[in-house]
């Protein structure tokens, strides 16, 4: 599926130009500057997956991944927040009508944050729940208007069901807890709710999101299992970070060569650096193609099982290629590239940190895919030489 090189993709390029000069300041503050946060909204990330009936774009996964990658060439943290806030517009499409109306009646550009890991406690009060708790790693929370938090709520006889609960900015505070090696400017601090009432109409079951079964009439992008697309949210920024690392490394290599043979020897092995750059460019192009293919498959529709497992594996393999690329070029860079203000070391730290995200880990994704293939006898002799195992 061809992407739209205007719209969000072009806006992602412009956002990179806005974010890059702020990157060091954002990283020092451990959150984006207000100017960059505003630029994310202006670019159209919050509205990208929002239903058209609320003024949203109902956009594609292809465009979102490409736009996030372009943004990350300026600042991976800005791209991470932009990609996450876009994905939450898709997630909020699972809310009942009252919840969607609260979010988007005034504007489709509502900035949503999310506590994705189930936490907190909820007490049933008939028409909703009294909720309290702390949710960690909430990217972009400082600029959020609303938040979705995963919380176990009472269900059945002494049972619980995890639901996503929608809470307004007035219902939560932010705790300073984000002290990391990379992706520092994402501001992924903790969200605390002391006690807030959440009506049932402001919630949806986590199981529906995992299975890709949204309410009737939801945009097509909502009807995809979470596992098939969650890795795309975080892989796009890693793709841009690797590109940024290669650009910085290439510029440094060009300066070495321009300074003469003697300096080349002092700076390191010129041939090794050239090979690393070439290998990195090829790896990054391959990873980009793999992610483009995965996003296209998601846009065309994918069900649970083997297809979803394959896409999750593609996300993980692509990110491994990208993180290895950033590592290789940093290892062959000069001392100046390790300075705290040097872009290359920041791209490397951001790519490495992002690649450690749970949904991007290769081992569980690979095992999940192989298990699905074995269960479906994809390695059996069909006499055709084709089939799932050969894709």
């Amino acid at each position: 599926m061809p992407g739209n090189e205007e719209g969000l993709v072009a806006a992602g390029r412009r956002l990179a130009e806005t974010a890059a000069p702020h990157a060091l300041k954002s990283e020092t503050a451990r959150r984006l500057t207000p100017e960059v946060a505003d630029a994310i909204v202006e670019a159209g990330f919050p509205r990208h997956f929002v239903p058209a009936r609320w003024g949203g774009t109902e956009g594609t996964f292809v465009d979102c991944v490409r736009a996030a990658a372009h943004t990350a060439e300026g600042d991976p943290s800005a791209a991470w927040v932009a990609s996450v806030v876009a994905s939450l517009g898709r997630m909020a499409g699972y809310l009942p009508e009252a919840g969607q109306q609260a979010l988007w009646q005034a504007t489709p550009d509502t900035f949503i944050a999310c506590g994705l890991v189930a936490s907190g406690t909820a007490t049933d009060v008939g028409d909703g729940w009294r909720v309290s708790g702390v949710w960690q790693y909430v990217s972009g929370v400082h600029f959020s208007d609303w938040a979705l938090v995963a919380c176990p709520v009472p269900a059945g006889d002494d049972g619980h069901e995890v639901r996503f609960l929608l809470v307004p900015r007035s219902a939560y505070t932010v705790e300073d807890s984000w002290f990391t090696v990379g992706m520092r400017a994402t501001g992924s601090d903790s969200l605390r709710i002391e006690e807030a009432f959440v009506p049932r109409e402001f919630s949806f079951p986590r199981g529906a999101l995992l299975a890709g079964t949204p309410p009737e009439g939801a945009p097509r992008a909502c009807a995809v299992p979470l596992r098939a697309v969650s890795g795309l949210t975080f892989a796009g920024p890693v793709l841009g970070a690797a590109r940024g690392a290669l650009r910085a490394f290439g510029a440094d290599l060009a300066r070495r060569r321009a300074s003469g043979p003697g300096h080349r020897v002092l700076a390191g092995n010129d041939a090794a650096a050239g090979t690393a750059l070439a290998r990195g460019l090829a790896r990054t192009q391959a990873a980009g193609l793999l992610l483009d293919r995965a996003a296209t498959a998601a846009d065309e529709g994918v069900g649970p099982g083997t297809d979803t497992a394959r896409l999750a594996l593609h996300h993980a393999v692509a990110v491994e290629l990208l993180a290895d690329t950033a590592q290789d070029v940093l290892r062959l860079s000069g001392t100046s590239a390790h300075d705290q203000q040097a872009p290359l070391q920041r791209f490397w730290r951001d790519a490495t940190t992002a690649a450690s995200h749970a949904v991007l880990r290769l081992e569980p994704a690979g095992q999940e895919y192989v298990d699905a293939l074995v269960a479906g006898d994809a390695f059996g002799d069909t006499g055709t030489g084709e089939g799932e195992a050969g894709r």
Side-chain angles (χ1 to χ4, degrees):
M1 177 183 290
N4 177 11
E5 291 299 328
E6 298 303 321
L8 189 71
V9 179
R13 294 181 188 272
R14 294 191 296 271
L15 179 56
E17 296 175 359
T18 299
H22 289 261
L24 183 58
K25 182 178 179 181
S26 294
E27 185 171 69
T28 301
R30 293 180 294 107
R31 71 185 70 167
L32 300 178
T33 65
E35 294 88 344
V36 174
D38 289 344
I40 287 173
V41 176
E42 183 179 349
F45 280 94
R47 67 168 59 198
H48 182 66
F49 288 115
V50 172
R53 67 193 182 93
W54 298 115
T57 305
E58 286 195 21
T60 65
F61 292 105
V62 167
D63 284 349
C64 193
V65 172
R66 291 180 183 178
H70 287 316
T71 299
E73 293 183 50
D75 180 7
S77 286
W80 181 280
V81 173
S83 188
V84 166
V85 76
S87 74
L88 294 175
R90 187 188 86 91
M91 187 186 299
Y94 282 74
L95 285 164
E97 183 71 10
Q100 294 190 33
Q101 186 175 26
L103 275 179
W104 296 317
Q105 185 173 36
T107 175
D109 293 320
T110 304
F111 202 118
I112 308 170
C114 184
L116 191 61
V117 178
S119 185
T121 59
T123 303
D124 197 324
V125 291
D127 55 349
W129 304 274
R130 288 287 178 188
V131 180
S132 61
V134 177
W135 286 260
Q136 294 181 306
Y137 314 129
V138 185
S139 298
V141 64
H142 295 275
F143 303 101
S144 60
D145 303 306
W146 291 77
L148 284 163
V149 295
C151 183
V153 303
D157 297 332
D158 298 324
H160 286 84
E161 174 191 38
V162 176
R163 297 182 72 89
F164 280 100
L165 311 179
L166 179 67
V167 292
R169 183 64 182 84
S170 59
Y172 57 88
T173 57
V174 180
E175 294 186 348
D176 200 23
S177 60
W178 185 242
F179 300 91
T180 58
V181 171
M183 286 291 179
R184 293 175 182 170
T186 62
S188 302
D189 285 310
S190 298
L191 179 157
R192 175 180 288 275
I193 300 175
E194 291 295 345
E195 185 174 300
F197 172 70
V198 179
R200 294 183 185 275
E201 294 81 6
F202 280 29
S203 76
F204 64 89
R206 184 176 65 178
L209 178 67
L210 296 177
T213 54
E216 185 177 351
R220 183 175 183 176
C222 289
V224 181
L226 180 63
R227 182 71 168 140
V229 295
S230 57
L232 291 174
T233 301
F234 310 111
V238 184
L239 175 58
R243 289 175 180 167
L246 290 171
R247 181 177 292 110
F249 184 68
D252 184 58
L253 181 60
R255 285 192 295 270
R256 293 189 210 175
R257 292 185 172 180
S259 64
H263 186 71
R264 290 186 215 172
V265 173
L266 292 175
N269 190 317
D270 186 74
T275 300
L277 180 58
R279 181 186 294 113
L281 290 168
R283 280 177 172 173
T284 303
Q285 289 165 3
L289 290 170
L290 193 58
L291 292 176
D292 229 39
R293 180 175 177 178
T296 298
D299 284 326
E300 293 174 348
V302 58
T306 304
D307 290 341
T308 285
R310 182 177 64 252
L311 296 187
L313 177 62
H314 286 181
H315 308 156
V317 168
V319 166
E320 183 176 77
L321 290 172
L322 296 166
D324 286 348
T325 292
Q327 172 65 39
D328 287 350
V329 296
L330 184 78
R331 182 174 59 84
L332 290 171
S333 64
T335 302
S336 61
H338 294 257
D339 187 273
Q340 289 188 6
Q341 299 190 43
L344 178 52
Q345 58 81 31
R346 176 168 50 82
F347 284 125
W348 166 70
R349 286 189 291 102
D350 286 349
T352 302
T353 298
S356 71
H357 195 284
V359 302
L360 298 175
R361 291 174 186 166
L362 181 58
E363 290 78 8
Q367 190 62 58
E368 179 184 354
Y369 183 49
V370 169
D371 288 348
L373 291 178
V374 171
D377 195 27
F379 296 100
D381 184 6
T382 64
T384 65
E386 299 177 353
E388 185 63 45
R391 290 188 184 180

